[in-house]
Amino acid sequence: MKPQLPTGKTADPTVYIIDDDRSVRAALEDLLASVSLRAKSFASVQDFLAFDLPGAPACLVLDVRMPGQSGMDFLEHMTEYGLHLPTVMITGHGDIAMGVKAMKDGAIEFLTKPFRDQDLLDAVHRGIEADRTRRLREAANADVARRWASLSSGEKDVAQLVATGLLNKQIAADLGVSEITVKVRRGHLMRKMNTRTLADLIRLLDRIQPT
């Protein structure tokens, strides 16, 4: 399975369904199609893992009990597969303890069959928006990290000291360089980081772990 890539606001979302019951899969696909949501179904976790996920916002509807790897076990270990999909758990044999465990393992909703169509749709829409937000945030953080990587070591040193509130004169003394050198490096780093103010620079540095 390929890693999920960040994506923009315009990418069409997809709802993935994993349920060993063909009739349930068909019913869910029809329900999602009724609100113009694209769905792709799988009969098992193994089939899903063999599929290359496109980089688009998504939500997973996952049955609890299935032959092979169960939905509960898959949910618990999803991050080990590099998956961060918002997940709606569905089951015909649920209880409170199972629901509590599912939510602790990261499920955004736990629905017991038969559930109201609207309850599932509400959870799916909530999951898609959460996934879209996460992807946009990760894309923005990756862009900041790329900009940071473009700085020279000297520019990174100045950036980190600027962020602590030191003046150019103090930074120059700390680094053992001239104040003019600090001003030049500061100008370069602000341009490379695409920011104009100290506050914006600090905000960007908070998104990364400077090295």
Side-chain angles (χ1 to χ4, degrees):
M1 177 170 290
K2 293 180 179 178
Q4 301 169 73
L5 301 175
T7 188
K9 292 182 178 179
T10 58
D12 292 331
T14 301
V15 181
Y16 299 107
I17 302 165
I18 308 178
D19 195 308
D20 62 317
D21 189 324
R22 178 178 299 180
S23 64
V24 171
R25 296 198 302 272
L28 290 175
E29 289 178 357
D30 288 344
L31 173 62
L32 294 166
S34 71
V35 292
S36 301
L37 278 175
R38 181 170 55 188
K40 185 166 182 58
S41 297
F42 303 88
S44 68
V45 169
Q46 289 69 30
D47 288 347
F48 177 69
L49 290 174
F51 177 72
D52 287 336
L53 291 179
C59 182
L60 175 63
V61 178
L62 180 62
D63 188 32
V64 168
R65 288 188 177 181
M66 290 180 287
Q69 187 173 18
S70 72
M72 290 294 287
D73 182 65
F74 181 53
L75 175 67
E76 184 178 354
H77 296 94
M78 274 179 59
T79 56
E80 297 173 16
Y81 295 103
L83 293 169
H84 305 282
L85 292 174
T87 302
V88 179
M89 300 297 294
I90 58 174
T91 181
H93 310 280
D95 54 32
I96 294 176
M98 187 182 296
V100 170
K101 183 178 187 315
M103 300 304 280
K104 284 184 176 179
D105 288 340
I108 62 170
E109 188 59 271
F110 186 88
L111 299 175
T112 302
K113 302 172 185 175
F115 44 77
R116 293 175 61 245
D117 290 349
Q118 192 60 50
D119 289 343
L120 178 77
L121 293 175
D122 288 347
V124 165
H125 281 296
R126 191 167 70 251
I128 288 172
E129 284 310 304
D131 195 45
R132 193 192 309 275
T133 299
R134 176 185 64 81
R135 289 168 182 273
L136 290 173
R137 182 178 62 250
E138 289 182 354
N141 290 345
D143 181 59
V144 172
R146 178 187 57 75
R147 286 185 244 166
W148 175 260
S150 73
L151 302 185
S152 68
S153 60
E155 290 164 352
K156 290 179 180 177
D157 290 340
V158 171
Q160 291 172 319
L161 292 175
V162 165
T164 66
L166 293 182
L167 302 176
N168 288 344
K169 184 176 181 179
Q170 295 171 309
I171 295 173
D174 192 88
L175 296 178
V177 298
S178 70
E179 190 171 349
I180 293 177
T181 297
V182 172
K183 290 180 179 178
V184 170
R185 291 178 181 176
R186 186 167 180 164
H188 287 171
L189 75 90
M190 296 294 278
R191 176 177 54 78
K192 291 180 179 178
M193 293 301 288
N194 193 28
T195 184
R196 295 183 177 179
T197 68
L198 176 59
D200 286 342
L201 177 64
I202 293 174
R203 178 176 54 80
L204 293 179
L205 295 183
D206 282 343
R207 294 185 179 184
I208 59 177
Q209 295 295 325
T211 56

